[in-house]
Amino acid sequence: MLNIEQNPLLDFSGLPRFSDIKPEHVAPAIDFLLHEARGVIEELENQTLPVSWNNFVEPLEDTTEKLARAWGIVGHLNAVVDTPELRAAYNDNQGKLTEFWTALGQNLALYQQYKRLHASSEYGQMSAARQKIIQNALRDFKLGGAELDAEKKARYAEIQDKISELTTKFSENVLDATNHYELLVNKVDDLKGLPDDVLQSAKSVAEKDGKSGYKFTLHFPSYFPMLQYAENRQLRETIYRANATKASELGSKPEWDNSELIHSILRLRKEEATLLGYQNFAEVSLVSKMAESPQQVSQFLEELATRARPFAENDLAQLRDFAREELGIDDMQAWDSTYASEKLREKRYAFSEQELKQYFPEHKVIAGLFRVIRSLFDVEISVEQAETWHPDVQFYRITREGKLIGQFYLDLYARNGKRGGAWMDDARSRRRTADGIQTPVAYLTCNFNEPIIVDGIKKPATFSHDEVITIFHEFGHGLHHLLTQVDDLSVSGISGVEWDAVELPSQFMENFCWEWDVLQHMTAHVETGESLPRPLFDKMIAAKNFQSGLQTLRQIEFSLFDMRLHDNLDIDAPNIVQTVLDQVRDEVAVLVPPPFNRFQHSFGHIFSGGYAAGYFSYKWAEVLSADAYAAFEEAMASEGSTLSRRIGEKFQREILEVGGSRPALASFTAFRGREPKIDALLRHHGMAA
Ligand code: ZN
């Protein structure tokens, strides 16, 4: 029997004890912490003393923080060093935690205690951060249905259950329809134009089925190269049609048709909104976002569309001309545009990703990234020894004038047992405790190629420019978490930041990857040691905004469609979803898909992901990040570099340090001295007037 006192998951005194933690520690630690938390909550529910921050919010934060930290370690390990034992421990305990957090979100007694605290005389004396925490709690209890009477609460719970069932079914249908499809091509002559690695993999997929020839599916890495490279127009049309109709009434099997599910989901969301006292689901979605109303979002999108339209029309005209003159395609169709675009891109900006990659060895990229951070935010970053979960993981500390600010783990390489993608996660958040300041700790995780050994010599890993952008992006989230100066847990770092503003620091950091000054210090050719040559840099910049007008309009089309579906829509009108989509396309699209296109039937972001009435967040946050970055570009004019400590200090103080302690708009306005403007985003995409 394991002794609770020796369970390393219950040791909160310092950094996680990665070398001691074993799968068998998970269940006892989580059970112990859940039991403890339930005891604390029970006491807080029944508390009859005047409620105060110290006797109510603080003990609640203490107990839930421990649970979140211990479970955070388990979740992190499950993502980066998955083993059958750990996965089993993770899955066995996950349900207990979901149940706990759901019950906490609907706990009427706690909600009432928050209301008492809000009405108390103490509230007026509290810091802005604490007031914000209480406002957020009241908002979230209300949105969780805590305020409804018993009958409505039951209906609310039913709706949640049903939505969760239908959205799961939606994505299963998309997946089944995707998996079921196959296009078998026998003659390699029909596949002219496709790169060797694509052919190779299509061949091995066919072989796995015991077939000869080349098998293509509707999975992105399979069908997209077909659209991009196949010279055979008939084949492109075949796979385009299959992909554009999957999981619809025009698709392969009626049981995978998502039409009815889409209607039911929209109807239930509307009912949920009505129960909670809102006119429509778009309003519910925006309560916890920076955008204020569906009208404001629509206006934003329509304005952006108006500005992007001439550029998109120009992109399209050039593409049509090119297709006609160089490819002999007189009537460019939906299945031709990807192919023609790729050919045009190759012709215009002759350089390869592979060539560029040779200039970005790992040590140079990391040093270049740290140089940017050091220059902007006046901090030092140094390697520190700590226990980790894998020998390749590095640990660093961030200090200013010798004083510890935060620490982070950097896990760069892909390996077996590690989940794909790149992300930032918190291991510990900043807060003030009885013992002083608890400094924040972050996990920064990527999946890049590791160094290879050639003839006994270790060659440094090299990164593509996209990967360099990725690491800057994740460090933007990391800085938001690590440089915070907020003393209260629930709004320190990225906690409590509005969903449509959370990508501000991350997208902001990406911009530095396109600066000559930054790149010169961040590149050294693996063979020659030479930094990035100017002609290659110029080609990169020229290619950056290829067809950005068309791409912008496409994002707006998705965003407007999403907003209008969740705004005041007569969901029972015949064929309403297609009608709304057609109207949106009439208004904004220049490259209009064919009438059989049923993209909405696999629009998982809004029908099975978390983006319902929120797809606009991508563009919304980009306005903020581009406009914030423009302040650094302005500094370049007077200071000769975008790495301005003067502006960096302001960005740090007004945006990074305050975290979620005030509305994102207030932070942005404090930084920029005005509300956000769309101009910088247009300029960065080559769409300035
Ligand atoms: Zn991000």
Side-chain angles (χ1 to χ4, degrees), residues 120-139:
S120 73
S121 58
E122 186 189 349
Y123 183 79
Q125 316 295 316
M126 282 180 195
S127 67
R130 289 188 173 183
Q131 288 186 349
K132 187 76 178 19
I133 289 173
I134 291 165
Q135 291 159 15
N136 288 355
L138 294 175
R139 174 196 76 194

Side-chain angles (χ1 to χ4, degrees), residues 473-474 477 502-503 506-507:
H473 178 105
E474 297 311 329
H477 289 307
V502 85
E503 298 294 336
S506 53
Q507 295 184 350

Side-chain angles (χ1 to χ4, degrees), residues 421-442:
W423 67 90
M424 190 287 293
D425 206 351
D426 59 310
R428 191 171 83 189
S429 296
R430 181 188 155 103
R431 72 182 294 206
R432 188 178 292 279
T433 69
D435 306 326
I437 293 293
Q438 167 180 298
T439 52
V441 181

Side-chain angles (χ1 to χ4, degrees), residues 553-605:
L553 281 195
R554 204 169 143 76
Q555 288 299 108
I556 295 171
E557 181 186 318
F558 297 165
S559 306
L560 265 181
F561 172 58
D562 167 41
M563 274 323 275
R564 300 230 177 123
L565 281 185
H566 293 101
D567 206 336
N568 295 318
L569 184 74
D570 178 9
I571 191 63
D572 294 313
N575 204 21
I576 185 70
V577 174
Q578 188 65 46
T579 306
V580 170
L581 185 55
D582 291 344
Q583 279 167 357
V584 168
R585 282 177 176 162
D586 253 14
E587 282 171 48
V588 300
V590 296
L591 191 58
V592 181
F596 65 76
N597 182 299
R598 294 286 180 275
F599 124 87
Q600 67 272 30
H601 286 71
S602 48
F603 195 5
H605 276 88

Side-chain angles (χ1 to χ4, degrees), residues 665-681:
L665 181 61
S667 297
F668 183 92
T669 310
F671 169 63
R672 209 62 174 102
R674 57 163 174 76
E675 294 206 349
K677 282 202 252 178
I678 200 171
D679 309 49
L681 176 135

Side-chain angles (χ1 to χ4, degrees), residues 185-226:
V185 182
N186 288 314
K187 288 185 288 182
V188 74
D189 278 359
D190 289 335
L191 295 170
K192 256 196 207 137
L194 287 166
D196 280 345
D197 58 332
V198 176
L199 290 177
Q200 212 95 67
S201 108
K203 195 169 182 204
S204 82
V205 175
E207 272 165 11
K208 264 186 208 148
D209 293 355
K211 291 172 182 162
S212 61
Y214 302 84
K215 178 177 160 179
F216 292 85
T217 71
L218 294 183
H219 289 286
F220 188 83
S222 180
Y223 89 83
F224 195 74
M226 178 75 102

